[in-house]
Amino acid sequence: MKNLTVKAKCRRCGREAPAEQFVLHHQYRMMVCPECVKEGKQHTNVHYELRKQKELEAKQKPDEKPKPAGWDADDEYLERAARQQSKEPKAEIERISKDMIRYKCQKCSYRFTYNTEKKIPARCPYCSRDIQLT
Ligand SMILES: [Zn+2]
Ligand SMILES: [Zn+2]
């Protein structure tokens, strides 16, 4: 009886195996024997387990990340915005009576009472800036 099984030599491990059992292995990018396929599977599994372990470790680790890079920039931006706001003094108006208000000059910060009925004084008595009641 003639043995019809064609044997082929595995290019990877050099072992001989029935040619029909050879498969194209995506990892080795070549035709390999069944033994190499088995090894390859074990290989992948090891990698998979390691990856899973690393993922678990990453999850278990407390979040010790430093504050994101944008944090300080935002903080600085807010601070700058606040400073810019304070640079533009607003008229401070405080109502004293029906026709009298306490007014703080936008330019020189001079405080004086302003008669809203008679519109007196028309300007800041100190720096002559127009009264702005907005
Ligand atoms: Zn092989
Ligand atoms: Zn003034």
Side-chain angles (χ1 to χ4, degrees):
M1 279 281 278
K2 210 179 172 185
N3 192 355
L4 288 172
T5 309
V6 183
K7 287 217 168 186
K9 204 173 178 181
C10 176
R11 274 164 62 201
R12 190 182 164 261
C13 65
R15 273 184 290 236
E16 280 194 348
E20 71 221 26
Q21 285 177 25
F22 273 66
V23 287
L24 180 65
H25 201 282
H26 68 275
Q27 230 176 332
Y28 305 133
R29 284 154 200 246
M30 60 167 91
M31 297 296 284
V32 292
C33 70
E35 288 303 307
C36 283
V37 174
K38 268 192 233 166
E39 277 174 30
K41 271 180 188 165
Q42 277 165 9
H43 200 61
T44 352
N45 283 343
V46 166
H47 271 285
Y48 177 72
E49 289 298 324
L50 272 173
R51 209 172 58 207
K52 238 168 81 175
Q53 209 180 327
K54 273 184 186 173
E55 274 171 15
L56 272 170
E57 275 172 19
K59 272 180 195 169
Q60 281 166 358
K61 265 183 195 166
D63 197 11
E64 285 172 9
K65 276 182 198 165
K67 277 163 189 155
W71 190 86
D72 284 324
D74 279 351
D75 202 47
E76 224 177 86
Y77 170 78
L78 286 172
E79 217 180 277
R80 220 181 300 134
R83 240 182 282 141
Q84 271 174 357
Q85 268 186 354
S86 63
K87 265 182 195 168
E88 291 171 29
K90 278 180 186 168
E92 281 178 33
I93 299 160
E94 193 188 322
R95 188 158 287 280
I96 301 165
S97 64
K98 207 183 91 192
D99 53 358
M100 291 292 277
I101 57 162
R102 192 176 295 279
Y103 183 88
K104 187 186 172 188
C105 174
Q106 285 170 281
K107 197 183 169 190
C108 69
S109 296
Y110 182 74
R111 284 169 197 271
F112 53 94
T113 49
Y114 175 77
N115 191 313
T116 51
E117 203 92 329
K118 294 172 187 166
K119 293 184 177 165
I120 294 170
R123 286 182 172 87
C124 169
Y126 196 82
C127 71
S128 300
R129 190 189 167 95
D130 289 340
I131 306 289
Q132 280 182 305
L133 296 174
T134 45

